[in-house]
Amino acid sequence: MTSLMSNYTRLPVSFRHGKGCWLWDDAGNKYLDALSGIAVCGLGHAHPAVSQAIKEQADLLLHTSNLYNIEPQLQLATKLNALCGTDTAFFCNSGAEANEAAIKIARRYGHDRGISNAKIIVMDGAFHGRTLATLSATGNAKIKEGFAPLVEGFIQVPYNDVDAVMAYSDNADVVAVMVEPIQGEGGINIPDADYLQKLRALCNKNNWLLITDEIQSGIGRSGQWLAAQHGGVQADVITLAKGLANGVPIGVCLAHGKAAKVLGPGSHGSTFGGNPLACRAALAVIDTINSNDLMANATAMGDYLYKGFTQRIGQLDAVKTIRYQGLLFGIELESPCGELVSKALEKRLLINVTATSVIRLLPPLLLDQSEADMIIDIVSNLIIEHTK
Ligand SMILES: *Cc1c(COP(=O)(O)O)cnc(C)c1O
């Protein structure tokens, strides 16, 4: 028996160090990382700007608590609000916590309007986290299994179906719509180009908050700071985490307009949230993405992967669709393909399979063409082998 709980299924490898898109295991073998720790290490591993920021801050101060002003937290909030079109920020330590804050904002927003039984519309195939409220909002039965009683107050409808949301227009208990602009865990599901715009219009009409979970799709990965920015949609509440500090734990819930001041003094909090160390790392990440044009690179490399995969495997019957926006990349096969993860590992490539049959690629934003070529080559060969 191991000393760890058995909640994770781990691959038989352990990494010692990394550089850029590459990782080395404890036997010295070198791997190409096409997953970035699940969309976390957008700047790859051991990025000098992030390391430098962490070292500098570690020598100054790690933590004081939110009983006091925290200068790097204020700087990061100002920067994120400018990039995301929002007015206020609440910092926490993970994606699930950011969504908990968003859910609390929606409920308190309803409460302030006299709604005591608030409901939030959520989507089939959604993933919002593993805490009780966020798993209750998640559209995947397996994640909820055995954890009843769940948190009430979520109405689940099909993804990419505006009419299904519109059907609740007369329900006076609805306070918000919560949606991923691109579903990550759900299988890199990309909705119609006008889906979010239509949800925005519905929310405006019904006085609902639009909450976008950009925990996987945000921080440049889609080729914009937020995936919702491709369609020019401004959400009321936006959650970010994964890629924000390149591996230092952080989450943030951003709020705009009428959502910005819903949480008053004493209504919410986090001991670690927004500590100087995490905020300095996040500031370095944002700076580096900007100064190196990494969003443009994510767009270009996404297009490059798409072109390469289309040429190599696009015509195979076994390949259902190739879906992508920047470096959120999914190849859906006709049959389950979970075993490709360990087969790729044998070829020294890190990939993921989600939603049973979708190969998910989330490489660092600084991926270059020769690295993209290796991904195309190895994954295409695995698919060809898989379908024989
Ligand atoms: C990963 C993820 C979460 C949960 O984030 P944690 O940091 O694991 O709590 C929530 N929403 C989306 C879209 C995610 O991809």
Side-chain angles (χ1 to χ4, degrees):
M1 183 143 89
T2 140
S3 54
L4 295 169
M5 290 193 190
S6 39
N7 57 312
Y8 298 112
T9 313
R10 296 178 198 269
L11 291 159
V13 64
S14 150
F15 299 107
R16 278 278 289 278
H17 62 99
K19 192 80 205 150
C21 299
W22 298 88
L23 284 165
W24 283 261
D25 69 13
D26 31 22
N29 300 306
K30 187 182 176 190
Y31 300 75
L32 178 55
D33 185 0
L35 193 58
S36 313
I38 320 182
V40 168
C41 302
L43 303 185
H45 303 280
H47 193 284
V50 180
S51 302
Q52 182 67 23
I54 292 171
K55 284 177 207 158
E56 277 175 23
Q57 190 57 46
D59 282 339
L60 285 174
L61 188 64
L62 290 181
H63 176 86
T64 58
S65 91
N66 286 294
L67 296 172
Y68 313 103
N69 293 314
I70 300 172
E71 185 55 33
Q73 184 184 125
L74 196 58
Q75 282 175 22
L76 180 58
T78 304
K79 195 151 259 181
L80 285 170
N81 284 323
L83 297 175
C84 300
T86 46
D87 299 311
T88 57
F90 164 78
F91 288 97
C92 48
N93 316 288
S94 68
E97 276 179 87
N99 284 336
E100 288 276 346
I103 292 164
K104 284 180 72 173
I105 289 172
R107 286 188 170 194
R108 183 60 76 88
Y109 166 79
H111 172 90
D112 294 348
R113 291 165 54 222
I115 300 170
S116 57
N117 187 26
K119 300 257 193 281
I120 299 172
I121 297 176
V122 295
M123 308 302 159
D124 291 351
F127 181 78
H128 295 302
R130 302 284 196 155
T131 62
L132 278 170
T134 58
L135 76 82
S136 300
T138 285
N140 173 344
K142 207 165 155 254
I143 283 170
K144 305 181 191 190
E145 194 183 311
F147 295 121
L150 301 182
V151 173
E152 290 175 41
F154 298 102
I155 297 170
Q156 197 179 310
V157 303
Y159 189 57
N160 196 23
D161 183 344
V162 179
D163 291 341
V165 179
M166 189 152 19
Y168 287 92
S169 293
D170 294 331
N171 186 323
D173 288 336
V174 175
V175 293
V177 175
M178 184 169 181
V179 62
E180 292 156 273
I182 295 172
Q183 288 185 338
E185 306 298 309
I188 313 294
N189 299 320
I190 302 176
D192 297 341
D194 60 358
Y195 176 59
L196 277 189
Q197 287 162 9
K198 287 182 170 165
L199 290 183
R200 177 70 273 177
L202 256 182
C203 287
N204 289 349
K205 190 157 159 263
N206 294 311
N207 265 319
W208 299 339
L209 297 181
L210 178 63
I211 304 170
T212 49
D213 178 344
E214 297 247 20
I215 290 164
Q216 191 159 152
S217 58
I219 316 295
R221 179 154 293 279
S222 75
Q224 296 278 348
W225 286 108
L226 303 172
Q229 290 171 340
H230 291 281
V233 171
Q234 177 66 54
D236 303 297
V237 180
I238 300 165
T239 55
L240 297 168
K242 290 197 167 87
L244 181 51
N246 215 52
V248 180
I250 191 170
V252 65
C253 178
L254 301 168
H256 169 77
K258 57 187 183 254
K261 293 203 171 110
V262 169
L263 292 181
S267 60
H268 197 47
S270 161
T271 298
F272 290 135
N275 80 32
L277 186 81
C279 291
R280 279 293 302 275
L283 284 163
V285 167
I286 292 170
D287 229 44
T288 305
I289 290 174
N290 265 331
S291 56
N292 293 281
D293 278 333
L294 291 182
M295 292 192 287
N297 192 59
T299 302
M301 286 298 107
D303 292 343
Y304 187 81
L305 286 173
Y306 181 73
K307 216 170 119 217
F309 277 118
T310 302
Q311 278 168 8
R312 284 288 301 273
I313 52 148
Q315 299 307 313
L316 296 183
D317 288 341
V319 176
K320 199 166 172 183
T321 43
I322 304 176
R323 303 186 284 265
Y324 79 109
Q325 177 105 63
L327 288 174
L328 285 143
F329 204 97
I331 303 169
E332 181 168 7
L333 302 188
E334 291 287 354
S335 61
C337 59
E339 78 275 13
L340 293 188
V341 172
S342 45
K343 293 209 164 128
L345 187 71
E346 285 168 23
K347 308 275 182 217
R348 309 231 197 280
L349 174 71
L350 307 186
I351 64 166
N352 176 252
V353 168
T354 190
T356 312
S357 55
V358 181
I359 298 167
R360 177 170 53 161
L361 305 174
L362 304 164
L365 309 185
L366 36 69
L367 188 76
D368 70 23
Q369 266 191 23
S370 69
E371 291 157 347
D373 283 333
M374 287 181 220
I375 296 174
I376 294 164
D377 197 49
I378 297 172
V379 173
S380 295
N381 286 337
L382 287 172
I383 291 171
I384 291 163
E385 187 63 29
H386 171 76
T387 59
K388 263 188 191 154

